[in-house]
């Protein structure tokens, strides 16, 4: 592929835009295939939060279980389509998300989406570190028989110990490099399935012949008349929004993949098929808890505590820990590390960016129980998530419709006046305008009560609007330039 030249003349790069972690990764140094991409999604889906979300969707929308399952699978298909679009440029050029976005927002303007994306990642990194530590707390408490009594900030001494251990463990994996992260994901993803299937078998066996009728009652609408098309669409929107963070910066992973075909195969296995299997397990276990305990439990940790068997408790605790650390590395650690490196490449490498992420996130996780979960900060983070949505549309429209799938790799690292992506002092003001207008709308779906019916679709609508406005502005600009 002659036009996909990845060679960079480092004597001509701007040192404020370049370090080795941001440079194009040559094909010879890429060793990810479909299995690794599949595992990125396995780890993203199979966290404690992912399970709880799937289980609660079955119970919340007054729809038959089959309809909810179909909606979740449809969301998987939509996300597969979205990430195939954002992943392809990074497979072709070997660059991470914050470098790819320079083509549309400008070599300086790219810091805006990178910084917003980093904020979302760092926040959720802290929260997920706390959730992963609850699995370790469960394991230690099961072994020693106590959690150590009263602690501080809402955490017992065992909970504090667990939190610090998980925090240090994640830094250790990250510090040993992307290969170690890959091996961890490849091990954690399949193991979660083994335990989830085991839990499903145990619940099914204990519930006996009553389980299938119970599944039937969950499958039939829980109220009169069902939830209709609106509820179906809301489930789809909620699941798409759940994956939204990884959708935008998927290039951070696909730059390691050898071919676009392997990326697409990994996305097919990892999204629709994976989501279908996982939601089926969630449904069976949820129905089983209804039979066994008279209530539907949506948190796997609660289920394991009720299904009283020490070996299962220990195995499940290890697995939930692995799964939650997995999603944390995928969705919340690698992206901010690249995003922070993009801000100041001279002083912040990928590893230093990761350390900054971990240090800020430590306080988010430590204060989660006592402070942050009480003051409605998730609403703030959802708002920032909605604000980021228009960047998806801008990036995709720019690469496929404006740039015709061609990027000048050298220009991505140059701030010289007149170079392809310098625009106005490094900022593409048309992209900023498109972003601002679309972000006001997508933010409104989160904060304006009258628009809250659209909340599930805020992300998709914001992305579509950002792309449409950007296309209109750039078309006008192109025509004006041609007319001169």
């Amino acid at each position: 592929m002659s036009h996909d030249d990845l060679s960079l003349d480092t004597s001509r790069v701007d040192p404020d835009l370049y370090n080795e972690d941001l440079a194009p990764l040559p094909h010879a140094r890429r060793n990810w295939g479909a299995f690794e991409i599949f595992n990125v999604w396995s780890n993203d889906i199979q966290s404690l939060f992912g399970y709880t979300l799937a289980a609660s969707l079955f119970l919340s929308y007054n729809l038959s279980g089959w309809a909810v399952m179909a909606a979740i699978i449809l969301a998987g298909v939509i996300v597969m389509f979205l990430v195939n679009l954002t992943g392809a440029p990074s497979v072709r050029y070997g660059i991470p998300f914050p470098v790819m976005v320079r083509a549309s927002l400008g070599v300086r303007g790219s810091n805006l989406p990178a910084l917003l994306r980093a904020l979302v990642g760092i926040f959720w990194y802290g929260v997920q570190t706390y959730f992963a530590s609850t699995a370790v707390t469960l394991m230690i408490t099961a072994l020693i028989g106590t959690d150590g009594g009263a602690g501080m900030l809402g955490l017992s001494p065992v909970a504090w110990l667990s939190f610090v251990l998980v925090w240090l463990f994640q830094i250790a994996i990250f510090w040993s490099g992307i290969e170690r992260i890959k091996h961890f994901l490849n091990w954690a993803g399949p193991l979660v399935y083994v335990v989830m299937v085991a839990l499903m078998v145990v619940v099914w066996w204990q519930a006996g012949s009553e389980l299938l009728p119970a599944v039937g009652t969950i499958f039939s609408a829980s109220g009169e008349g069902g939830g209709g098309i609106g509820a179906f669409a809301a489930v789809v929107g909620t699941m798409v929004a759940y994956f939204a963070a990884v959708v935008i910066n998927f290039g951070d992973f696909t730059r390691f993949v050898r071919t676009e075909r392997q990326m697409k195969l990994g996305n097919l296995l990892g999204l629709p098929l994976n989501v279908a299997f996982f939601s089926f397990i969630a449904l069976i276990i949820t129905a089983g808890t209804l039979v066994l305990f008279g209530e539907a439990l949506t948190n796997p940790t609660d289920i394991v505590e009720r299904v009283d068997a020490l070996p299962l408790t220990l195995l499940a605790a290890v697995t939930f820990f692995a799964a939650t650390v997995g999603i944390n590395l995928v969705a919340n650690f690698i992206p901010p590390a690249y995003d922070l490196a993009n801000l100041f490449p001279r002083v912040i490498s990928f590893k230093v960016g990761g350390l900054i992420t971990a240090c800020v996130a430590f306080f988010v996780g430590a204060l989660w129980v006592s402070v942050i979960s009480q003051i409605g900060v998730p609403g703030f983070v959802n708002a920032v998530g909605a604000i980021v949505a228009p960047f998806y549309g801008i990036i995709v429209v720019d690469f496929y419709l404006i740039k015709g799938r061609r990027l000048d790799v050298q220009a991505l690292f140059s701030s010289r006046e007149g170079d392809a992506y310098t625009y106005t002092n490094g900022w593409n003001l048309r992209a900023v305008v498109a972003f601002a207008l679309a972000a006001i709308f997508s933010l409104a779906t989160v904060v304006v009560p009258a628009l809250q019916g659209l909340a599930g679709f805020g992300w998709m609508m914001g992305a579509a609007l950002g792309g449409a406005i950007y296309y209109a502005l750039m078309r006008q600009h192109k025509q004006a330039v041609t007319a001169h």
Side-chain angles (χ1 to χ4, degrees):
M1 291 191 291
S2 57
H3 63 273
D4 297 343
D5 183 18
L6 303 188
S7 59
L8 203 59
D9 179 355
T10 48
S11 65
R12 288 173 47 221
V13 301
D14 181 336
D16 289 333
L17 296 172
Y18 174 86
N19 67 27
E20 284 192 6
D21 296 316
L22 298 174
L25 194 67
H27 287 284
R29 285 179 44 209
R30 301 187 201 177
N31 58 3
W32 284 34
F35 181 64
E36 282 75 17
I37 292 295
F38 164 78
N39 274 323
V40 165
W41 293 117
S42 290
N43 283 282
D44 201 6
I45 293 165
Q46 297 153 4
S47 64
L48 290 176
F49 185 76
Y51 176 89
T52 302
L53 176 66
S56 53
L57 287 175
F58 282 111
L59 301 166
S60 315
Y61 277 99
N62 196 12
L63 285 167
S64 76
W66 288 123
V68 174
M69 197 163 152
I72 293 175
I73 295 167
L74 177 59
V77 173
I78 291 170
V79 173
M80 175 183 74
F81 176 70
L82 296 177
V83 290
N84 280 343
L85 291 176
T86 44
S90 291
V91 177
R92 178 176 281 196
Y93 294 106
I95 47 175
F97 158 73
V99 174
M100 204 249 307
V101 81
R102 291 174 183 176
S104 49
L105 273 108
V107 290
R108 305 270 177 243
S110 68
N111 284 329
L112 177 64
L115 191 60
L116 290 170
R117 174 66 187 91
L119 284 175
V120 176
I122 290 170
F123 178 86
W124 284 117
Y125 181 72
V127 176
Q128 290 277 19
T129 300
Y130 163 73
F131 277 115
S133 75
T134 60
V136 180
T137 308
L138 175 73
M139 179 166 60
I140 296 175
T141 308
L143 286 171
I144 66 173
T146 174
D147 64 1
M152 57 179 193
L153 293 174
L155 299 179
S156 69
V158 169
W160 270 110
L161 173 69
S162 303
F163 178 69
V164 173
L165 285 174
V166 171
W167 185 74
L168 290 171
F169 175 79
Q170 291 179 134
I171 290 180
I173 289 188
F174 175 75
W175 198 253
S176 52
I178 202 86
E179 274 303 291
R180 186 59 55 87
I181 293 173
K182 180 183 89 171
H183 292 313
F184 179 82
L185 297 181
N186 287 355
W187 166 81
L191 182 69
V192 179
Y193 264 137
V194 173
V195 173
M196 280 295 189
V197 170
L199 190 57
M200 177 174 77
V201 169
V202 169
V203 168
W204 202 325
W205 182 72
Q206 289 192 354
S209 59
E210 293 176 65
L211 180 72
L212 288 174
V215 171
T217 61
I218 288 189
F219 275 162
S220 62
S222 50
E224 290 306 306
I229 297 290
F232 182 85
V235 175
V236 175
T238 303
M239 284 304 287
V240 171
Y242 172 66
F243 290 116
V246 182
V247 166
I248 286 186
N249 60 271
F250 196 55
D252 290 343
F253 305 99
T254 58
R255 66 185 303 227
F256 300 105
V257 179
R258 288 181 289 266
T259 67
E260 200 175 317
R261 189 169 169 274
Q262 285 174 317
M263 174 196 80
K264 286 182 171 173
L265 178 61
N267 286 338
L268 174 68
L269 297 171
L271 281 160
L273 300 175
N274 200 358
V275 169
F277 187 47
F278 189 70
S279 55
F280 175 73
I281 292 173
L283 180 72
I284 294 291
I285 297 176
T286 308
T289 58
L290 204 58
V291 172
L292 291 172
F293 313 121
E295 57 178 320
L297 299 177
T298 58
N299 186 332
T301 320
D302 295 341
I303 300 166
V304 170
E305 280 186 58
R306 296 276 191 102
V307 180
D308 195 22
L310 184 65
L312 183 65
T313 301
L314 296 179
L315 182 60
V318 171
T319 310
F320 295 150
F321 159 73
T324 308
V325 168
I327 187 182
N328 226 3
L329 290 168
V330 166
N332 308 322
F333 205 46
I334 291 173
Y338 276 124
D339 294 337
L340 294 172
N342 190 63
L343 287 176
F344 305 106
R346 284 187 199 221
V347 285
I348 302 181
S349 66
F350 179 61
K351 284 185 173 179
V352 173
L355 276 186
I356 295 170
T357 299
C359 291
V360 177
F362 181 87
F363 295 98
V364 175
L367 296 172
W368 172 252
V369 174
S370 57
V371 181
I372 295 173
S373 63
Q374 310 296 322
I375 56 174
V377 175
F380 161 76
V381 176
N382 289 340
V384 176
I387 289 172
V388 174
F391 290 123
Y392 178 87
I394 291 170
I395 292 164
V396 169
V397 165
D398 183 71
F399 182 71
Y400 292 94
L401 300 180
I402 305 294
K403 305 284 194 293
R405 303 186 186 215
R406 298 279 179 94
L407 296 180
D408 178 347
V409 172
Q410 189 73 43
L412 289 170
F413 296 91
S414 166
S415 58
R416 284 188 319 185
E417 205 52 52
D419 273 359
Y421 311 126
T422 309
Y423 299 107
T424 310
N425 298 322
W427 288 76
N428 181 359
L429 299 178
R430 288 170 193 79
V432 176
V433 169
F435 158 69
L437 292 174
I440 290 167
F441 171 78
S442 52
L443 183 60
T445 64
V446 178
V447 296
V448 178
L451 292 175
Q452 291 202 320
L454 296 174
F457 316 104
W459 193 91
M460 287 196 276
M461 292 166 88
L465 204 57
I469 298 171
Y470 179 76
Y471 184 67
L473 293 174
M474 290 300 279
R475 279 284 304 273
Q476 267 185 320
H477 170 63
K478 260 186 160 177
Q479 284 164 349
V481 171
T482 320
H484 270 73

